[in-house]
Amino acid sequence: MHKNRVFSRRRALVFGVGALAGVSASLGLSKNKQWQNWAQAMAAANTDFTVQGDKSMRERAAAKGLIYGAASDYAILLKDPEFADRFGKECGILVPEGMLKMKGLRPTPTTFNFTRSDWLLDYTQKHNMLFRGHTLVWHNLLPDWFKETVNAQNAEKIMVDHIKGVAGRYAGKMHSWDVVNEAVYPWDGRSDGLRNSPWLDFLGPDYIEIAFRAAAEADPNALLVYNDNRVQYDTREGETMRTVIFKLLERLKSKGVPVQALGIQSHLWGDEVRFNPEKYRKFLSDVASLGLKILITELDVTDLNLPQDEAERDRIVAKTYEDYLSVVLDEPAVVAVLNWGLSDRHTWLSELRARPDGSPVRPLPFDRDLKPKLAWNAIARAFDQARPR
Ligand code: G3I
């Protein structure tokens, strides 16, 4: 099971200068990108993805004191029992991809609809998994009534009531909550780097602090997480996000705000080579030095610009997982790794980052037939090689 596939250096070469160049050209990729793909294919070709034994990812993670899991959702787990079964075996934690966002939970300003999220909690309990909340406060997926109902006078009450209603309902049953999601967006031009969101407009920057205090009151047992993305690459974007997020966390901690962890979404790109392990290690340890835990919350690898050949593509995707996780799991403050979806059968990337050649995307550890791919091996190996917590 999960044995390494044979991929000779020669084949990689042929692939690199021949097939890949052709595919890259047909994808309209630049010469630079073609060479980048080629270099990655070569690196991937030389990587050993062999995995010992037949333990699941959740078992391998647990053996090191880590938690492994993934995002999924009500409609998927309800209607796809084969997937739901595999999910329960591989995952030690479930985070609903959409069902705990404000829009789905709040049909009207005064009511909550917990039918689907209760079903998900029940599912986790039946499979002996942890449950994780995403997300209490976000600028996105606000209910339709939000615009005409919320204003500067009532925003705090509406936000706090929402947090108390939702986090309160699951109090004692949640491993962790993404209390605030994606509050940073330095390109909105504010000096503090915060995103222009309705919450910020109505309440000012203190909305983050108010949200964490309300969540701590509603569920004193859940790990309270600030969750954001785009921090991983050695680019101007990555550098800016790392700086602004670190400053935000530092500010919150210095004011005694009960933020307890940073969630790093980690939507990776298979064709992105600007990953600098030293800088990233430093960022993770700086965050840890604030007394925070770190969770990898939405891990996947976009294969949009990778070659069409599935075997070649899978190797580059697997290598991307390996390069990232080997750095991340070296940091003792990292306590959990979650994929944003478990199988290529159900992934947001199918629609939002579809491939120009029309072939199905392959960003996750299992393929559409629920067979483990090399990405599974890469993740399993990363847990096997991680130091115990
Ligand atoms: O439920 C409707 C369905 O009835 C309709 O037929 C269909 C038509 O497109 O839309 C369905 O709703 C979509 C929903 O996903 C379920 O598939 C929404 O339009 C769509 O906006 C929603 O997208 C989700 C997105 O967040 C916004 O909530 C993605 O699935 C989800 O993967 C994505 O997750 C985000 C994280 O929350 C935060 N970090 C980034 C991550 C990826 O964008």
Side-chain angles (χ1 to χ4, degrees):
M1 225 182 143
H2 318 315
K3 281 278 144 49
N4 194 12
R5 287 183 228 172
V6 178
F7 186 92
S8 71
R9 198 184 166 89
R10 183 178 147 72
R11 191 158 167 235
L13 261 170
V14 170
F15 158 71
V17 295
L20 178 57
V23 171
S24 299
S26 74
L27 283 174
L29 300 181
S30 66
K31 274 269 176 299
N32 194 19
K33 186 60 84 186
Q34 290 180 37
W35 279 103
Q36 223 163 281
N37 271 348
W38 177 80
Q40 281 170 293
M42 286 304 292
N46 290 320
T47 303
D48 176 15
F49 291 112
T50 311
V51 172
Q52 306 298 330
D54 57 4
K55 287 205 163 73
S56 66
M57 288 189 285
R58 75 181 274 182
E59 290 170 312
R60 289 169 198 270
K64 299 299 173 71
L66 285 155
I67 301 166
Y68 172 78
S72 190
D73 234 325
Y74 171 73
I76 297 171
L77 293 166
L78 181 72
K79 292 183 194 154
D80 189 346
E82 186 198 13
F83 175 80
D85 183 52
R86 168 59 64 187
F87 196 96
K89 290 188 172 116
E90 289 289 335
C91 296
I93 189 166
L94 164 71
V95 59
E97 193 168 343
M99 291 302 117
L100 286 169
K101 291 172 180 170
M102 196 175 183
K103 185 169 183 150
L105 285 176
R106 303 298 305 278
T108 73
T110 49
T111 55
F112 293 81
N113 179 355
F114 290 117
T115 316
R116 293 164 302 185
S117 44
D118 282 358
W119 186 92
L120 288 166
L121 171 65
D122 188 53
Y123 168 85
T124 60
Q125 290 173 340
K126 284 187 179 131
H127 289 82
N128 193 24
M129 301 163 75
L130 299 168
F131 196 34
R132 172 169 156 65
H134 172 85
T135 171
L136 293 168
V137 179
W138 195 23
H139 63 279
N140 207 342
L141 268 267
L142 294 167
D144 293 336
W145 50 261
F146 191 94
K147 220 172 178 176
E148 67 267 18
T149 312
V150 185
N151 53 50
Q153 283 68 49
N154 64 14
E156 180 166 344
K157 178 165 170 26
I158 287 178
M159 188 179 81
V160 169
D161 284 353
H162 178 71
I163 293 172
K164 287 193 172 156
V166 180
R169 179 166 187 96
Y170 298 111
K173 293 171 182 153
M174 276 287 174
H175 165 267
S176 49
W177 264 112
D178 288 339
V179 178
V180 177
N181 188 43
E182 297 170 6
V184 167
Y185 194 75
W187 301 274
D188 274 345
R190 292 175 52 94
S191 58
D192 58 9
L194 292 184
R195 181 191 293 271
N196 284 328
S197 80
W199 298 117
L200 183 95
D201 286 350
F202 295 137
L203 300 173
D206 283 351
Y207 85 89
I208 299 174
E209 168 171 354
I210 298 168
F212 274 96
R213 293 196 193 282
E217 220 176 282
D219 185 352
N221 293 313
L223 186 73
L224 303 183
V225 181
Y226 172 73
N227 193 50
D228 215 324
N229 61 4
R230 305 177 203 214
V231 297
Q232 61 271 4
Y233 291 120
D234 190 15
T235 56
R236 200 193 268 179
E237 173 183 274
E239 189 73 49
T240 309
M241 287 298 283
R242 288 193 291 276
T243 305
V244 174
I245 288 172
F246 181 77
K247 281 190 184 150
L248 169 66
L249 295 171
E250 202 177 31
R251 222 162 39 236
L252 293 172
K253 287 297 283 180
S254 72
K255 289 168 89 177
V257 176
V259 55
Q260 294 158 344
L262 172 65
I264 302 180
Q265 294 184 7
S266 313
H267 294 291
L268 310 180
W269 287 78
D271 59 315
E272 179 55 85
V273 292
R274 290 170 293 176
F275 178 61
N276 182 324
E278 284 68 42
K279 281 195 189 166
Y280 205 52
R281 276 178 214 281
K282 165 97 172 58
F283 171 67
L284 298 176
S285 83
D286 286 350
V287 170
S289 74
L290 295 174
L292 297 169
K293 301 283 184 212
I294 298 169
L295 291 81
I296 303 302
T297 51
E298 304 183 15
L299 181 60
D300 52 22
V301 178
T302 290
D303 65 356
L304 179 61
N305 298 318
L306 296 183
Q308 188 168 27
D309 182 283
E310 285 187 0
E312 325 299 4
R313 212 185 327 154
D314 284 357
R315 288 197 79 90
I316 300 179
V317 167
K319 181 78 170 91
T320 308
Y321 274 110
E322 165 169 303
D323 290 349
Y324 188 69
L325 287 177
S326 61
V327 171
V328 159
L329 293 178
D330 247 2
E331 169 53 57
V334 173
V335 294
V337 175
L338 289 96
N339 274 114
W340 203 240
L342 184 69
S343 136
D344 300 335
R345 193 186 277 191
H346 306 288
T347 163
W348 69 291
L349 296 166
S350 295
E351 274 182 33
L352 288 166
R353 291 189 192 152
R355 290 173 55 83
D357 60 22
S359 59
V361 298
R362 299 176 67 81
L364 291 167
F366 286 85
D367 71 9
R368 295 164 78 85
D369 298 323
L370 301 182
K371 295 216 175 60
K373 301 186 306 180
L374 282 190
W376 185 99
N377 293 46
I379 298 168
R381 280 171 67 88
F383 289 137
D384 289 350
Q385 286 162 16
R387 60 173 99 162
R389 269 52 188 165

